[in-house]
Amino acid sequence: MASGGEVVNNKQVILKQFVNGNPRESDMVVKTSSISLKVESGSNPIVVKKLVCLNQEKVMASGGEVMKNKQVILKHFIDGAPKESDMVVKTSSISLKVEPGSNGVVVKNLYLSCDPYIGSRMKKFEHPDFSSFKPDSPLEGFGVAKVVDSGHPDFKKGDLVWGTVGWEEYSVIENPEKLFKIHHTDVPLSYYTGILGMPGITAWAGFYEVAAPKKGEYVFVSAAAGAVGQLVGQFAKLMGCYVVGSAGSKEKVEILKNKLGFDDAFNYKEENDLDAALKRCFPEGIDIYFDNVGGKMLDAVLLNMRLKGRIAVCGMISQYNLSQHEGVHNFMNTLIKRIRMEGFLVFDYFPQYSKFLEVVLPLIREGKIVYLEDITEGLENAPAALVGLYSGRNIGKQVVLVARE
């Protein structure tokens, strides 16, 4: 004890000199001084004991609870296919309270969706409707989340939502109007990254709205074991169509035929002649092609389309990571066979989400449709899960489980 009150040792981190560039540990030193725990007589300050919560997940701050927030960060713009080394997992801090006066929400992310377009946004480009990710910032994508705080009148704490979130444990959503509330929880929450989320609407809109199917037609689906393709094939079977899918492994081919009800399927990696493979599966030709891959498969399909056939262009994953895109040589068939070929983006169909749910929810509940998921656990494993998409490592919808509700 001292005349001024209790005196204790006070460990401090001291700056040794001004720095150029990023700080180094050698620019700082930890020293111990002494401090009185009594303020000087007549003084107004207070003495506080600073609590640093090492190895804990949260601290309390004046603005509300502050949490450690693990994030998947883009290190730099990429060329070609994404690699795990293009991303890094870091931990930052985030307040779980929205800023006063904000209409935003803070959400805890439960599931993240791995989708091929994410790799495209890791590249530097300019487009009026899409933007590149920013290096040194978290990736973004569709996900399922739980609201932990809200400044928006339409959202409250505890609401379950799906929509665009950061690849992180917690996200601040400045424009929550773009989020979809989850009202039906009698199905797995992860389904809202897939069959009841963006891939589901994509399959539904592309098949029913764009391809305009008729009973008994011949339907071909590429990347048929993926998040979208598996649904298109099942929608087509429910319409009474003959359905064939292509996939990249024997295992996937068996799943298409034995679990998802496709009439036939083939492994495109084992086919030396795609035109011959399609003629074998469709001796009378193809009425509807749901295109997820583009490239050589699209070129072969054009040779096998029937009169007034329709091609719904959903994706071109075979081309996303090429520096020079492959050409398509058989477009003359669109003229000769009066083929309608139409590209579409899922965002155009989001206003029809309630109509979509009216169709798909009963099919799930009645067991008339099956949905395959490939779930990777842990945000730290998200980069590997994303990279695996481009080699076809996943079977079904690739999902990352971030946290259990």
Side-chain angles (χ1 to χ4, degrees):
M1 299 293 294
S3 59
E6 185 180 3
V7 176
V8 297
N9 290 333
N10 187 33
K11 194 177 292 184
Q12 300 171 307
V13 178
I14 305 296
L15 175 66
K16 293 167 65 176
Q17 69 266 324
F18 290 119
V19 303
N20 290 317
N22 292 325
R24 304 182 304 274
E25 289 185 49
S26 58
D27 296 321
M28 297 162 276
V29 62
V30 177
K31 293 184 176 180
T32 300
S33 64
S34 297
I35 184 172
S36 170
L37 298 189
K38 298 290 279 187
V39 297
E40 293 291 328
S41 177
S43 174
N44 286 325
I46 61 172
V47 178
V48 299
K49 182 177 182 181
K50 188 172 183 180
L51 302 178
V52 181
C53 299
L54 299 176
N55 300 318
Q56 294 184 23
E57 290 302 313
K58 59 187 178 181
V59 299
M60 297 301 295
S62 59
E65 191 175 21
V66 175
M67 296 288 287
K68 289 184 177 181
N69 190 30
K70 194 181 295 181
Q71 301 173 306
V72 177
I73 303 293
L74 176 65
K75 293 167 68 174
H76 43 68
F77 289 123
I78 68 170
D79 291 312
K83 304 183 297 295
E84 289 184 54
S85 58
D86 297 320
M87 297 162 272
V88 63
V89 178
K90 292 184 176 180
T91 300
S92 64
S93 297
I94 185 171
S95 171
L96 297 191
K97 298 292 285 184
V98 298
E99 292 290 328
S102 169
N103 280 330
V105 298
V106 180
V107 299
K108 178 181 181 180
N109 295 318
L110 306 178
Y111 294 94
L112 297 177
S113 173
C114 291
D115 298 296
Y117 77 87
I118 291 176
S120 299
R121 293 190 64 192
M122 294 169 72
K123 301 175 182 179
K124 188 174 184 178
F125 68 92
E126 293 184 4
H127 190 281
D129 298 322
F130 306 98
S131 61
S132 299
F133 294 135
K134 295 178 181 178
D136 299 319
S137 296
L139 275 64
E140 294 179 351
F142 288 97
V144 175
K146 188 173 187 177
V147 176
V148 296
D149 192 39
S150 173
H152 196 284
D154 293 340
F155 297 90
K156 65 181 186 301
K157 183 177 180 179
D159 281 348
L160 292 167
V161 296
W162 74 267
T164 300
V165 298
W167 274 36
E168 54 194 354
E169 292 175 301
Y170 296 88
S171 294
V172 177
I173 312 296
E174 300 290 352
N175 300 301
E177 297 86 0
K178 296 181 179 180
L179 295 174
F180 292 86
K181 274 191 181 181
I182 294 174
H183 298 289
H184 306 280
T185 56
D186 58 326
V187 295
L189 280 179
S190 57
Y191 276 16
Y192 288 92
T193 67
I195 187 172
L196 294 177
M198 183 274 289
I201 309 173
T202 301
W204 173 80
F207 184 64
Y208 291 111
E209 301 289 325
V210 177
K214 303 180 188 67
K215 183 178 180 179
E217 289 192 312
Y218 297 94
V219 178
F220 176 51
V221 186
S222 55
V228 174
Q230 61 172 303
L231 292 174
V232 174
Q234 292 180 85
F235 289 154
K237 287 302 298 177
L238 290 170
M239 277 284 299
C241 298
Y242 179 83
V243 186
V244 176
S246 64
S249 72
K250 290 181 180 179
E251 181 184 7
K252 291 180 180 180
V253 167
E254 290 305 309
I255 287 171
L256 292 176
K257 293 192 291 186
N258 299 326
K259 286 190 177 181
L260 300 178
F262 282 61
D263 294 290
D264 202 354
F266 63 89
N267 180 356
Y268 71 90
K269 294 179 180 178
E270 294 181 346
E271 300 290 346
N272 295 321
D273 186 338
L274 293 176
D275 177 34
L278 291 170
K279 283 183 168 56
R280 182 180 73 238
C281 295
F282 294 101
E284 298 183 44
I286 300 167
D287 292 298
I288 292 173
Y289 173 41
F290 198 99
D291 187 11
N292 288 306
V293 301
K296 293 182 176 64
M297 186 67 80
L298 172 60
D299 217 14
V301 167
L302 286 168
L303 295 173
N304 289 277
M305 292 296 292
R306 301 181 76 185
L307 192 68
K308 293 190 176 181
R310 286 88 69 206
I311 299 176
V313 183
C314 175
M316 295 196 172
I317 195 170
S318 72
Q319 307 299 298
Y320 292 159
N321 300 317
L322 300 180
S323 56
Q324 184 68 42
H325 293 166
E326 296 172 335
V328 176
H329 307 283
N330 296 317
F331 268 123
M332 180 68 76
N333 288 277
T334 62
L335 172 63
I336 297 170
K337 297 181 179 179
R338 280 84 94 194
I339 297 167
R340 177 168 62 82
M341 186 172 180
E342 182 179 346
F344 69 100
L345 290 177
V346 67
F347 310 108
D348 297 334
Y349 296 91
F350 277 172
Q352 298 186 48
Y353 184 60
S354 59
K355 179 181 176 183
F356 158 78
L357 286 181
E358 289 174 4
V359 173
V360 177
L361 271 172
L363 295 177
I364 296 172
R365 289 168 176 157
E366 294 166 18
K368 293 182 178 178
I369 201 163
V370 176
Y371 197 63
L372 301 180
E373 296 179 301
D374 195 328
I375 298 180
T376 296
E377 189 160 348
L379 185 64
E380 65 277 5
N381 296 315
L386 176 64
V387 169
L389 281 182
Y390 302 96
S391 61
R393 191 188 309 158
N394 60 300
I395 296 178
K397 172 63 191 167
Q398 182 65 67
V399 182
V400 176
L401 170 62
V402 180
R404 302 184 190 279
E405 186 190 351

